[in-house]
Amino acid sequence: MLKFVLLPLLLAAPASALAQAAQCHLPARMPRPRPDLPSESQGRRLLPIGGYTLALSWSPQYCAGAVGADDAFQCSGRNGRFGFTLHGLWPDGMGKDWPQYCRATDLLPRPVIRQNLCVTPSTQLLQHEWAKHGTCMTTKPELYFNLSRALYQSIRYPDMAALARRKTLTVGRFAEAFAAVNKGMRADMMRVTTTRDNRLSEVWLCMDKVLEFARCPKHQGGASNRASLRIAPGPNIPNPKRTKPAPTSRSGLILHLDPNAELPEN
Protein backbone atom coordinates (compact mmCIF):
# COMPACT_ATOMS: atom_id res chain seq x y z
CA MET A 1 0.00 0.00 0.00
CA LEU A 2 1.18 3.51 -0.79
CA LYS A 3 0.86 5.77 2.25
CA PHE A 4 0.47 9.54 1.93
CA VAL A 5 1.24 11.33 5.21
CA LEU A 6 -0.84 14.47 5.54
CA LEU A 7 -1.74 15.40 9.11
CA PRO A 8 -0.21 18.93 9.25
CA LEU A 9 -1.90 19.66 5.95
CA LEU A 10 -5.27 18.73 7.40
CA LEU A 11 -4.63 20.58 10.64
CA ALA A 12 -3.66 23.73 8.76
CA ALA A 13 -6.99 23.74 6.91
CA PRO A 14 -10.02 25.48 8.41
CA ALA A 15 -12.39 22.99 9.98
CA SER A 16 -15.41 24.63 8.34
CA ALA A 17 -14.35 23.48 4.84
CA LEU A 18 -15.38 26.90 3.47
CA ALA A 19 -12.02 28.19 2.28
CA GLN A 20 -13.57 29.98 -0.71
CA ALA A 21 -17.26 30.11 0.08
CA ALA A 22 -19.19 32.92 1.75
CA GLN A 23 -21.87 31.58 4.09
CA CYS A 24 -22.49 28.30 2.31
CA HIS A 25 -25.85 26.89 3.39
CA LEU A 26 -26.52 23.21 2.73
CA PRO A 27 -30.02 22.12 1.72
CA ALA A 28 -32.01 20.10 4.22
CA ARG A 29 -32.18 17.23 1.75
CA MET A 30 -29.13 16.30 -0.27
CA PRO A 31 -29.93 16.06 -3.99
CA ARG A 32 -29.03 12.70 -5.48
CA PRO A 33 -26.66 12.45 -8.47
CA ARG A 34 -27.10 10.27 -11.51
CA PRO A 35 -24.68 7.41 -12.16
CA ASP A 36 -21.55 8.49 -14.02
CA LEU A 37 -20.35 5.70 -16.28
CA PRO A 38 -17.64 5.28 -18.92
CA SER A 39 -18.78 5.80 -22.48
CA GLU A 40 -17.52 5.14 -25.99
CA SER A 41 -15.73 8.51 -26.05
CA GLN A 42 -14.68 8.40 -22.36
CA GLY A 43 -13.77 4.79 -21.75
CA ARG A 44 -12.02 2.92 -19.00
CA ARG A 45 -8.27 3.48 -19.04
CA LEU A 46 -5.92 1.59 -16.72
CA LEU A 47 -2.56 3.36 -16.58
CA PRO A 48 0.17 3.94 -13.97
CA ILE A 49 -0.03 7.23 -12.08
CA GLY A 50 2.79 9.67 -12.78
CA GLY A 51 1.55 12.69 -10.79
CA TYR A 52 -1.57 14.67 -9.94
CA THR A 53 -3.47 17.81 -10.89
CA LEU A 54 -5.56 19.82 -8.45
CA ALA A 55 -8.13 21.69 -10.56
CA LEU A 56 -9.77 24.84 -9.16
CA SER A 57 -12.66 26.64 -10.87
CA TRP A 58 -13.37 30.37 -10.65
CA SER A 59 -17.04 30.24 -9.72
CA PRO A 60 -17.99 33.83 -10.74
CA GLN A 61 -17.05 33.04 -14.35
CA TYR A 62 -18.99 29.78 -14.31
CA CYS A 63 -22.04 31.54 -12.91
CA ALA A 64 -21.79 34.26 -15.55
CA GLY A 65 -22.22 31.67 -18.31
CA ALA A 66 -25.30 29.98 -19.73
CA VAL A 67 -24.80 26.74 -17.78
CA GLY A 68 -24.28 28.54 -14.49
CA ALA A 69 -27.48 30.52 -14.95
CA ASP A 70 -29.42 27.29 -14.41
CA ASP A 71 -27.32 26.17 -11.43
CA ALA A 72 -29.37 27.39 -8.49
CA PHE A 73 -27.23 25.98 -5.68
CA GLN A 74 -23.92 27.46 -6.82
CA CYS A 75 -25.07 30.59 -8.60
CA SER A 76 -28.36 31.92 -7.21
CA GLY A 77 -26.75 33.40 -4.10
CA ARG A 78 -29.36 31.80 -1.85
CA ASN A 79 -26.91 29.13 -0.67
CA GLY A 80 -23.89 31.41 -0.42
CA ARG A 81 -21.37 32.95 -2.78
CA PHE A 82 -18.33 31.12 -4.04
CA GLY A 83 -14.84 32.11 -5.16
CA PHE A 84 -12.55 29.26 -6.20
CA THR A 85 -14.26 25.90 -5.97
CA LEU A 86 -12.69 22.48 -6.22
CA HIS A 87 -13.21 20.92 -9.63
CA GLY A 88 -11.28 17.83 -8.61
CA LEU A 89 -8.06 15.97 -7.90
CA TRP A 90 -6.93 14.15 -11.03
CA PRO A 91 -4.35 11.38 -11.28
CA ASP A 92 -2.12 11.98 -14.29
CA GLY A 93 -0.35 9.35 -16.35
CA MET A 94 3.29 9.01 -17.26
CA GLY A 95 2.65 10.75 -20.60
CA LYS A 96 -0.23 12.52 -22.28
CA ASP A 97 -2.87 9.95 -21.31
CA TRP A 98 -4.23 9.49 -17.81
CA PRO A 99 -6.09 6.72 -15.96
CA GLN A 100 -9.85 7.06 -15.71
CA TYR A 101 -12.97 5.08 -14.76
CA CYS A 102 -10.84 2.40 -13.14
CA ARG A 103 -13.63 0.77 -11.12
CA ALA A 104 -17.38 0.43 -11.22
CA THR A 105 -19.09 2.81 -8.78
CA ASP A 106 -22.27 3.15 -6.77
CA LEU A 107 -23.91 6.48 -6.04
CA LEU A 108 -22.02 8.48 -3.45
CA PRO A 109 -23.32 8.17 0.12
CA ARG A 110 -25.26 11.20 1.35
CA PRO A 111 -22.75 11.94 4.17
CA VAL A 112 -19.93 12.17 1.62
CA ILE A 113 -21.95 14.60 -0.49
CA ARG A 114 -22.87 16.69 2.54
CA GLN A 115 -19.25 16.94 3.66
CA ASN A 116 -18.02 18.13 0.27
CA LEU A 117 -20.85 20.14 -1.28
CA CYS A 118 -19.58 23.52 -0.05
CA VAL A 119 -16.19 22.75 -1.63
CA THR A 120 -17.47 21.25 -4.88
CA PRO A 121 -21.00 22.72 -5.13
CA SER A 122 -22.50 20.12 -7.46
CA THR A 123 -23.65 16.63 -6.52
CA GLN A 124 -23.25 15.49 -10.11
CA LEU A 125 -19.70 16.81 -10.33
CA LEU A 126 -18.83 15.03 -7.08
CA GLN A 127 -20.17 11.78 -8.54
CA HIS A 128 -18.23 12.38 -11.76
CA GLU A 129 -14.94 13.13 -10.02
CA TRP A 130 -15.18 9.98 -7.91
CA ALA A 131 -16.16 7.76 -10.84
CA LYS A 132 -13.66 9.11 -13.37
CA HIS A 133 -10.67 10.01 -11.20
CA GLY A 134 -11.03 8.83 -7.61
CA THR A 135 -11.53 5.18 -8.52
CA CYS A 136 -8.01 5.17 -9.96
CA MET A 137 -6.54 6.21 -6.60
CA THR A 138 -8.42 4.32 -3.89
CA THR A 139 -11.35 1.99 -3.28
CA LYS A 140 -13.16 4.34 -0.86
CA PRO A 141 -14.73 7.68 -1.86
CA GLU A 142 -14.21 9.02 1.68
CA LEU A 143 -10.42 8.74 1.30
CA TYR A 144 -10.44 10.35 -2.11
CA PHE A 145 -12.52 13.33 -1.03
CA ASN A 146 -10.71 13.75 2.29
CA LEU A 147 -7.43 14.04 0.42
CA SER A 148 -8.89 16.32 -2.27
CA ARG A 149 -10.48 18.58 0.32
CA ALA A 150 -7.32 18.78 2.44
CA LEU A 151 -5.25 19.83 -0.58
CA TYR A 152 -7.89 22.37 -1.62
CA GLN A 153 -8.03 23.88 1.85
CA SER A 154 -4.25 24.27 1.96
CA ILE A 155 -4.26 26.65 -1.03
CA ARG A 156 -4.01 30.41 -0.44
CA TYR A 157 -5.36 32.97 -2.91
CA PRO A 158 -4.20 36.39 -4.12
CA ASP A 159 -6.47 39.42 -3.85
CA MET A 160 -8.89 38.46 -6.61
CA ALA A 161 -10.86 41.71 -6.33
CA ALA A 162 -7.72 43.75 -6.97
CA LEU A 163 -6.68 41.52 -9.87
CA ALA A 164 -10.18 41.78 -11.38
CA ARG A 165 -9.86 45.59 -11.38
CA ARG A 166 -6.63 45.58 -13.35
CA LYS A 167 -7.07 46.95 -16.84
CA THR A 168 -3.97 45.14 -18.11
CA LEU A 169 -3.32 41.67 -16.75
CA THR A 170 -1.65 38.69 -18.38
CA VAL A 171 -1.94 35.01 -17.58
CA GLY A 172 1.71 35.00 -16.54
CA ARG A 173 1.27 37.91 -14.11
CA PHE A 174 -1.77 36.22 -12.59
CA ALA A 175 0.15 32.96 -12.17
CA GLU A 176 2.97 34.83 -10.45
CA ALA A 177 0.51 36.49 -8.05
CA PHE A 178 -1.12 33.13 -7.30
CA ALA A 179 2.21 31.40 -6.70
CA ALA A 180 3.52 34.22 -4.50
CA VAL A 181 1.00 33.48 -1.72
CA ASN A 182 1.63 29.72 -1.69
CA LYS A 183 4.82 28.39 -0.12
CA GLY A 184 6.83 26.18 -2.46
CA MET A 185 4.81 27.12 -5.55
CA ARG A 186 6.13 28.72 -8.74
CA ALA A 187 4.21 30.09 -11.70
CA ASP A 188 5.36 27.20 -13.90
CA MET A 189 3.68 24.76 -11.49
CA MET A 190 0.22 25.75 -12.71
CA ARG A 191 -1.81 26.00 -15.86
CA VAL A 192 -4.46 28.69 -16.30
CA THR A 193 -7.43 27.97 -18.54
CA THR A 194 -9.62 30.69 -20.00
CA THR A 195 -12.81 31.19 -21.96
CA ARG A 196 -12.73 32.19 -25.61
CA ASP A 197 -12.80 35.85 -24.62
CA ASN A 198 -9.80 35.48 -22.29
CA ARG A 199 -11.69 35.29 -19.00
CA LEU A 200 -10.34 33.23 -16.13
CA SER A 201 -11.95 29.80 -16.01
CA GLU A 202 -9.73 27.43 -13.99
CA VAL A 203 -6.34 27.05 -12.34
CA TRP A 204 -4.68 23.62 -12.55
CA LEU A 205 -1.97 23.00 -9.96
CA CYS A 206 0.55 20.33 -10.91
CA MET A 207 1.93 17.90 -8.33
CA ASP A 208 4.32 14.96 -8.35
CA LYS A 209 3.71 11.46 -7.02
CA VAL A 210 4.09 12.56 -3.39
CA LEU A 211 1.74 15.53 -3.84
CA GLU A 212 4.41 18.23 -3.83
CA PHE A 213 3.99 21.08 -6.29
CA ALA A 214 5.91 20.34 -9.48
CA ARG A 215 6.58 21.92 -12.86
CA CYS A 216 3.71 21.23 -15.23
CA PRO A 217 4.44 19.06 -18.26
CA LYS A 218 4.43 20.91 -21.57
CA HIS A 219 1.63 18.78 -22.98
CA GLN A 220 -0.84 19.84 -20.29
CA GLY A 221 -1.89 22.93 -22.20
CA GLY A 222 -3.47 26.04 -20.73
CA ALA A 223 -3.36 29.64 -21.88
CA SER A 224 -0.13 31.32 -22.94
CA ASN A 225 1.60 33.37 -20.25
CA ARG A 226 1.57 36.30 -22.67
CA ALA A 227 -2.19 36.13 -23.22
CA SER A 228 -4.35 38.86 -21.74
CA LEU A 229 -6.60 37.84 -18.87
CA ARG A 230 -9.84 39.23 -17.52
CA ILE A 231 -11.39 38.11 -14.25
CA ALA A 232 -15.11 38.15 -13.54
CA PRO A 233 -15.71 40.06 -10.29
CA GLY A 234 -16.57 37.85 -7.36
CA PRO A 235 -17.10 37.95 -3.63
CA ASN A 236 -14.27 39.29 -1.50
CA ILE A 237 -13.35 36.17 0.47
CA PRO A 238 -10.12 36.65 2.42
CA ASN A 239 -7.85 33.74 3.14
CA PRO A 240 -8.86 32.22 6.49
CA LYS A 241 -6.45 32.83 9.34
CA ARG A 242 -4.31 29.84 10.11
CA THR A 243 -4.70 28.49 13.61
CA LYS A 244 -1.49 26.48 13.22
CA PRO A 245 1.75 27.06 11.29
CA ALA A 246 1.62 26.25 7.60
CA PRO A 247 3.08 22.81 6.85
CA THR A 248 6.52 22.73 5.31
CA SER A 249 5.74 19.35 3.80
CA ARG A 250 2.67 17.23 3.26
CA SER A 251 3.24 14.86 6.14
CA GLY A 252 1.42 13.50 9.18
CA LEU A 253 -1.78 11.56 8.51
CA ILE A 254 -1.44 8.21 6.79
CA LEU A 255 -3.99 7.77 4.04
CA HIS A 256 -3.90 4.30 2.58
CA LEU A 257 -4.10 4.79 -1.17
CA ASP A 258 -3.63 1.70 -3.24
CA PRO A 259 -0.99 2.28 -5.95
CA ASN A 260 -2.56 -0.56 -7.91
CA ALA A 261 -6.09 0.80 -7.58
CA GLU A 262 -6.26 1.33 -11.32
CA LEU A 263 -6.16 -2.45 -11.75
CA PRO A 264 -9.48 -4.34 -11.71
CA GLU A 265 -10.25 -6.25 -8.54
CA ASN A 266 -11.62 -9.28 -10.35
Coordinates of all heavy atoms in Angstrom, one line a residue, residues 166-220:
R166 N -7.7 45.2 -12.5 CA -6.6 45.6 -13.4 C -7.1 45.7 -14.8 O -7.7 44.8 -15.3 CB -5.5 44.6 -13.2 CG -4.7 44.7 -12.0 CD -3.4 43.9 -12.1 NE -2.7 43.8 -10.9 CZ -1.6 43.1 -10.7 NH1 -1.0 42.6 -11.8 NH2 -1.0 43.0 -9.6
K167 N -6.7 46.8 -15.4 CA -7.1 47.0 -16.8 C -6.1 46.2 -17.8 O -6.5 45.8 -18.9 CB -7.1 48.4 -17.2 CG -8.1 49.3 -16.4 CD -8.1 50.7 -16.9 CE -9.1 51.5 -16.1 NZ -10.5 51.0 -16.2
T168 N -4.9 46.0 -17.3 CA -4.0 45.1 -18.1 C -3.4 44.0 -17.2 O -2.7 44.3 -16.2 CB -2.8 46.0 -18.7 OG1 -2.2 46.7 -17.6 CG2 -3.3 47.0 -19.6
L169 N -3.8 42.8 -17.5 CA -3.3 41.7 -16.8 C -3.1 40.5 -17.7 O -3.8 40.3 -18.7 CB -4.4 41.3 -15.7 CG -4.1 40.0 -14.9 CD1 -2.9 40.3 -13.9 CD2 -5.3 39.6 -14.1
T170 N -2.0 39.8 -17.5 CA -1.7 38.7 -18.4 C -1.8 37.4 -17.6 O -1.8 37.5 -16.3 CB -0.2 38.8 -19.0 OG1 0.7 38.7 -17.9 CG2 0.0 40.0 -19.8
V171 N -1.9 36.3 -18.3 CA -1.9 35.0 -17.6 C -0.7 34.8 -16.7 O -0.8 34.3 -15.6 CB -2.1 33.9 -18.6 CG1 -1.8 32.5 -18.0 CG2 -3.5 33.9 -19.3
G172 N 0.5 35.2 -17.3 CA 1.7 35.0 -16.5 C 1.8 35.8 -15.3 O 2.2 35.3 -14.2
R173 N 1.3 37.1 -15.3 CA 1.3 37.9 -14.1 C 0.3 37.3 -13.1 O 0.6 37.4 -11.9 CB 0.9 39.3 -14.5 CG 1.9 40.1 -15.3 CD 3.2 40.2 -14.5 NE 4.2 41.1 -15.2 CZ 5.4 41.3 -14.8 NH1 5.9 40.7 -13.7 NH2 6.2 42.0 -15.5
F174 N -0.8 36.8 -13.5 CA -1.8 36.2 -12.6 C -1.2 35.0 -11.9 O -1.3 34.8 -10.7 CB -3.1 35.8 -13.3 CG -4.0 35.0 -12.5 CD1 -4.8 35.5 -11.5 CD2 -4.0 33.6 -12.7 CE1 -5.6 34.7 -10.7 CE2 -4.8 32.8 -11.9 CZ -5.6 33.4 -10.9
A175 N -0.5 34.2 -12.7 CA 0.2 33.0 -12.2 C 1.2 33.3 -11.1 O 1.3 32.7 -10.1 CB 0.8 32.1 -13.3
E176 N 2.0 34.4 -11.4 CA 3.0 34.8 -10.5 C 2.3 35.3 -9.1 O 2.8 35.0 -8.1 CB 3.8 36.0 -11.1 CG 4.7 35.5 -12.2 CD 5.4 36.7 -12.9 OE1 5.1 37.8 -12.6 OE2 6.2 36.4 -13.8
A177 N 1.2 36.0 -9.3 CA 0.5 36.5 -8.1 C -0.1 35.3 -7.3 O 0.0 35.3 -6.0 CB -0.6 37.5 -8.4
F178 N -0.6 34.3 -8.0 CA -1.1 33.1 -7.3 C 0.0 32.4 -6.6 O -0.1 32.0 -5.4 CB -1.8 32.2 -8.3 CG -2.8 31.2 -7.8 CD1 -4.1 31.4 -7.9 CD2 -2.3 30.1 -7.1 CE1 -5.0 30.5 -7.4 CE2 -3.2 29.2 -6.6 CZ -4.6 29.4 -6.7
A179 N 1.1 32.2 -7.3 CA 2.2 31.4 -6.7 C 2.8 32.1 -5.5 O 3.3 31.5 -4.5 CB 3.3 31.1 -7.8
A180 N 2.8 33.4 -5.5 CA 3.5 34.2 -4.5 C 2.9 34.0 -3.1 O 3.6 34.2 -2.1 CB 3.5 35.7 -4.9
V181 N 1.6 33.6 -3.0 CA 1.0 33.5 -1.7 C 1.0 32.0 -1.3 O 0.4 31.7 -0.3 CB -0.4 34.1 -1.7 CG1 -0.4 35.6 -1.9 CG2 -1.3 33.4 -2.8
N182 N 1.6 31.1 -2.0 CA 1.6 29.7 -1.7 C 3.1 29.2 -1.6 O 3.8 29.3 -2.5 CB 0.9 28.9 -2.8 CG -0.6 29.1 -2.7 OD1 -1.3 28.5 -1.9 ND2 -1.1 29.9 -3.6
K183 N 3.4 28.8 -0.4 CA 4.8 28.4 -0.1 C 5.2 27.2 -1.0 O 4.4 26.2 -1.1 CB 5.0 28.0 1.4 CG 6.4 27.7 1.8 CD 6.4 27.4 3.3 CE 7.8 27.0 3.7 NZ 8.8 28.0 3.5
G184 N 6.3 27.3 -1.6 CA 6.8 26.2 -2.5 C 6.3 26.1 -3.9 O 6.6 25.2 -4.6
M185 N 5.4 27.1 -4.2 CA 4.8 27.1 -5.6 C 5.5 28.2 -6.4 O 5.8 29.2 -6.0 CB 3.3 27.4 -5.4 CG 2.5 27.3 -6.8 SD 0.8 27.8 -6.6 CE 0.2 26.6 -5.5
R186 N 5.7 27.8 -7.7 CA 6.1 28.7 -8.7 C 5.1 28.8 -9.8 O 4.2 28.0 -10.0 CB 7.4 28.2 -9.4 CG 8.6 28.1 -8.4 CD 9.9 27.9 -9.2 NE 9.8 26.9 -10.2 CZ 10.0 25.6 -10.1 NH1 10.5 25.1 -8.9 NH2 9.9 24.7 -11.1
A187 N 5.2 29.9 -10.6 CA 4.2 30.1 -11.7 C 4.2 29.0 -12.7 O 3.2 28.7 -13.3 CB 4.5 31.4 -12.4
D188 N 5.3 28.3 -12.9 CA 5.4 27.2 -13.9 C 4.8 25.9 -13.3 O 4.8 24.9 -14.0 CB 6.8 27.0 -14.5 CG 7.8 26.5 -13.4 OD1 7.4 26.5 -12.2 OD2 8.9 26.2 -13.8
M189 N 4.3 25.9 -12.1 CA 3.7 24.8 -11.5 C 2.2 24.8 -11.6 O 1.5 24.1 -10.9 CB 4.1 24.7 -10.0 CG 5.6 24.4 -9.8 SD 6.0 24.5 -8.1 CE 7.7 23.9 -8.2
M190 N 1.7 25.7 -12.5 CA 0.2 25.7 -12.7 C -0.1 26.0 -14.2 O 0.8 26.5 -14.9 CB -0.4 26.8 -11.8 CG -0.1 28.2 -12.3 SD -0.8 29.5 -11.1 CE 0.4 29.3 -9.8
R191 N -1.3 25.7 -14.6 CA -1.8 26.0 -15.9 C -3.1 26.8 -15.6 O -3.9 26.5 -14.8 CB -2.1 24.7 -16.7 CG -0.9 24.0 -17.1 CD -0.1 24.8 -18.2 NE 1.0 24.0 -18.8 CZ 2.3 24.3 -18.4 NH1 2.5 25.2 -17.5 NH2 3.2 23.6 -19.0
V192 N -3.3 27.9 -16.4 CA -4.5 28.7 -16.3 C -5.3 28.5 -17.6 O -4.8 28.6 -18.7 CB -4.1 30.2 -16.2 CG1 -5.3 31.1 -16.1 CG2 -3.2 30.4 -14.9
T193 N -6.6 28.1 -17.4 CA -7.4 28.0 -18.5 C -8.4 29.1 -18.6 O -8.8 29.7 -17.6 CB -8.2 26.6 -18.5 OG1 -9.2 26.7 -17.4 CG2 -7.3 25.5 -18.3
T194 N -8.8 29.5 -19.8 CA -9.6 30.7 -20.0 C -10.7 30.4 -21.0 O -10.7 29.4 -21.7 CB -8.8 31.9 -20.6 OG1 -8.2 31.5 -21.8 CG2 -7.7 32.3 -19.6
T195 N -11.7 31.3 -21.0 CA -12.8 31.2 -22.0 C -12.3 31.7 -23.3 O -11.2 32.2 -23.4 CB -14.0 32.0 -21.5 OG1 -13.6 33.4 -21.4 CG2 -14.5 31.5 -20.1
R196 N -13.1 31.7 -24.3 CA -12.7 32.2 -25.6 C -12.4 33.7 -25.6 O -11.7 34.2 -26.5 CB -13.8 31.9 -26.6 CG -13.9 30.4 -27.0 CD -15.0 30.1 -28.0 NE -15.0 28.7 -28.4 CZ -15.9 28.2 -29.3 NH1 -16.7 29.0 -29.9 NH2 -15.9 26.9 -29.5
D197 N -13.1 34.4 -24.7 CA -12.8 35.9 -24.6 C -11.8 36.2 -23.5 O -11.9 37.3 -22.9 CB -14.1 36.6 -24.5 CG -14.9 36.2 -23.3 OD1 -14.6 35.2 -22.6 OD2 -15.9 36.9 -22.9
N198 N -10.9 35.3 -23.2 CA -9.8 35.5 -22.3 C -10.2 35.8 -20.8 O -9.5 36.5 -20.1 CB -8.9 36.6 -22.8 CG -8.3 36.3 -24.1 OD1 -7.9 35.2 -24.4 ND2 -8.2 37.4 -25.0
R199 N -11.3 35.2 -20.4 CA -11.7 35.3 -19.0 C -11.2 34.1 -18.2 O -11.3 32.9 -18.7 CB -13.2 35.5 -18.9 CG -13.7 36.8 -19.5 CD -15.1 37.1 -19.2 NE -15.6 38.4 -19.8 CZ -15.5 39.5 -19.1 NH1 -15.0 39.5 -17.9 NH2 -15.9 40.6 -19.7
L200 N -10.8 34.3 -17.0 CA -10.3 33.2 -16.1 C -11.4 32.2 -15.9 O -12.5 32.5 -15.5 CB -9.9 33.8 -14.8 CG -9.5 32.8 -13.7 CD1 -8.3 32.0 -14.1 CD2 -9.3 33.4 -12.4
S201 N -11.0 30.9 -16.2 CA -11.9 29.8 -16.0 C -11.5 28.9 -14.9 O -12.2 28.7 -13.9 CB -12.1 29.0 -17.3 OG -12.9 27.8 -17.1
E202 N -10.2 28.3 -15.0 CA -9.7 27.4 -14.0 C -8.2 27.6 -13.8 O -7.5 28.2 -14.6 CB -10.0 26.0 -14.4 CG -11.5 25.6 -14.4 CD -11.7 24.1 -14.3 OE1 -10.9 23.3 -14.9 OE2 -12.7 23.7 -13.8
V203 N -7.8 27.1 -12.6 CA -6.3 27.1 -12.3 C -6.0 25.6 -12.0 O -6.7 25.0 -11.2 CB -6.0 27.9 -11.1 CG1 -4.5 27.7 -10.8 CG2 -6.2 29.4 -11.4
W204 N -5.1 25.0 -12.8 CA -4.7 23.6 -12.5 C -3.3 23.6 -11.9 O -2.3 24.1 -12.5 CB -4.6 22.9 -13.9 CG -5.9 22.7 -14.6 CD1 -7.2 23.1 -14.1 CD2 -6.1 22.2 -15.9 NE1 -8.1 22.8 -15.1 CE2 -7.5 22.3 -16.2 CE3 -5.3 21.7 -16.9 CZ2 -8.1 21.9 -17.4 CZ3 -5.8 21.3 -18.1 CH2 -7.2 21.4 -18.3
L205 N -3.2 23.1 -10.7 CA -2.0 23.0 -10.0 C -1.4 21.6 -10.1 O -2.0 20.6 -9.9 CB -2.2 23.3 -8.5 CG -2.9 24.6 -8.2 CD1 -3.2 24.7 -6.7 CD2 -2.1 25.8 -8.7
C206 N -0.1 21.6 -10.6 CA 0.5 20.3 -10.9 C 1.3 19.8 -9.7 O 2.0 20.6 -9.0 CB 1.5 20.5 -12.1 SG 0.7 21.1 -13.6
M207 N 1.2 18.5 -9.5 CA 1.9 17.9 -8.3 C 2.6 16.6 -8.8 O 2.1 16.0 -9.7 CB 0.9 17.6 -7.2 CG 0.4 18.9 -6.6 SD -0.8 18.6 -5.3 CE -2.2 17.9 -6.2
D208 N 3.6 16.2 -8.0 CA 4.3 15.0 -8.4 C 3.6 13.8 -7.6 O 2.6 14.0 -7.0 CB 5.8 15.1 -8.0 CG 6.1 15.4 -6.5 OD1 5.2 15.1 -5.7 OD2 7.2 15.9 -6.2
K209 N 4.3 12.7 -7.6 CA 3.7 11.5 -7.0 C 3.5 11.6 -5.5 O 2.7 10.8 -5.0 CB 4.6 10.2 -7.3 CG 4.5 9.8 -8.8 CD 5.3 8.5 -8.9 CE 5.3 8.0 -10.4 NZ 6.0 6.7 -10.5
V210 N 4.3 12.4 -4.8 CA 4.1 12.6 -3.4 C 3.4 13.9 -3.1 O 3.4 14.4 -1.9 CB 5.4 12.5 -2.7 CG1 6.0 11.1 -2.8 CG2 6.4 13.6 -3.2
L211 N 2.6 14.4 -4.0 CA 1.7 15.5 -3.8 C 2.5 16.8 -3.5 O 1.9 17.7 -2.8 CB 0.7 15.2 -2.8 CG -0.2 14.0 -3.1 CD1 -1.1 13.6 -2.0 CD2 -1.1 14.3 -4.3
E212 N 3.7 17.0 -3.9 CA 4.4 18.2 -3.8 C 4.2 19.0 -5.1 O 4.2 18.4 -6.2 CB 5.9 18.0 -3.6 CG 6.2 17.3 -2.3 CD 6.0 18.2 -1.0 OE1 5.7 19.4 -1.2 OE2 6.2 17.7 0.1
F213 N 4.1 20.3 -5.1 CA 4.0 21.1 -6.3 C 5.2 20.8 -7.2 O 6.3 20.7 -6.8 CB 3.9 22.6 -6.0 CG 2.7 23.0 -5.2 CD1 2.9 23.7 -4.0 CD2 1.5 22.7 -5.6 CE1 1.8 24.0 -3.2 CE2 0.4 23.0 -4.8 CZ 0.6 23.7 -3.6
A214 N 4.9 20.7 -8.5 CA 5.9 20.3 -9.5 C 5.7 21.1 -10.8 O 4.5 21.5 -11.1 CB 5.9 18.8 -9.8
R215 N 6.7 21.2 -11.6 CA 6.6 21.9 -12.9 C 5.6 21.2 -13.7 O 5.7 19.9 -13.9 CB 7.9 22.0 -13.5 CG 7.9 22.8 -14.8 CD 9.3 23.0 -15.3 NE 9.4 23.8 -16.5 CZ 10.5 24.1 -17.2 NH1 11.7 23.7 -16.7 NH2 10.4 24.9 -18.3
C216 N 4.7 21.9 -14.4 CA 3.7 21.2 -15.2 C 4.4 20.7 -16.5 O 5.2 21.4 -17.1 CB 2.6 22.2 -15.6 SG 1.6 22.8 -14.2
P217 N 3.9 19.6 -17.0 CA 4.4 19.1 -18.3 C 3.9 19.9 -19.4 O 2.9 20.5 -19.3 CB 3.8 17.6 -18.3 CG 2.6 17.7 -17.5 CD 3.0 18.6 -16.3
K218 N 4.8 20.0 -20.5 CA 4.4 20.9 -21.6 C 3.1 20.5 -22.3 O 2.4 21.4 -22.8 CB 5.6 20.9 -22.6 CG 6.9 21.6 -22.1 CD 7.9 21.6 -23.1 CE 9.2 22.3 -22.6 NZ 10.3 22.3 -23.7
H219 N 2.8 19.2 -22.2 CA 1.6 18.8 -23.0 C 0.3 19.1 -22.3 O -0.8 18.9 -22.8 CB 1.7 17.3 -23.2 CG 1.6 16.4 -22.0 ND1 2.7 15.8 -21.4 CD2 0.6 16.1 -21.2 CE1 2.3 15.2 -20.3 NE2 1.0 15.3 -20.2
Q220 N 0.4 19.6 -21.0 CA -0.8 19.8 -20.3 C -1.7 21.0 -20.8 O -2.9 21.1 -20.5 CB -0.5 20.0 -18.8 CG -1.8 19.8 -17.9 CD -1.4 19.7 -16.5 OE1 -0.5 20.3 -16.0 NE2 -2.2 18.9 -15.7

